[in-house]
Amino acid sequence: MADLGYVGSGLLTPRRKPPGQERSTGDKAANRSVNTLRAAVERAITHLKNWKIFATRYRSPLSRFALATKTVTALAFYAKDW
């Protein structure tokens, strides 16, 4: 998923407005769906970047990256319950 800056790159993007015309109702609904999903993903990434391990260069062995990701995600969900 990407924003309009990535149109034509093969990623899922919103539909552009045709020159001199308005978007159709179907295009507006499709854009709303794409933007809703993209916003949720961007919020999740931003939330994980609040943990310094993802905001900077990852310096541990790459074999432990998946474990670090799962741990930080679990801690983030646990912290929301408080």
Side-chain angles (χ1 to χ4, degrees):
M1 279 183 261
D3 58 19
L4 286 173
Y6 293 91
V7 170
S9 65
L11 298 171
L12 177 62
T13 58
R15 296 183 183 163
R16 287 185 185 247
K17 184 178 124 181
Q21 299 176 1
E22 291 298 318
R23 285 188 184 97
S24 69
T25 306
D27 282 351
K28 288 181 181 180
N31 285 355
R32 192 173 305 114
S33 296
V34 169
N35 289 334
T36 299
L37 291 172
R38 189 173 55 82
V41 170
E42 287 186 7
R43 279 193 305 273
I45 291 169
T46 300
H47 186 72
L48 290 176
K49 282 185 175 180
N50 284 335
W51 296 80
K52 295 297 182 194
I53 195 169
F54 294 112
T56 59
R57 185 173 157 262
Y58 185 72
R59 294 178 292 219
S60 293
L62 196 54
S63 61
R64 294 176 50 194
F65 184 74
L67 177 61
T69 303
K70 290 177 185 176
T71 303
V72 169
T73 303
L75 289 170
F77 283 118
Y78 179 74
K80 284 191 168 221
D81 289 341
W82 289 94

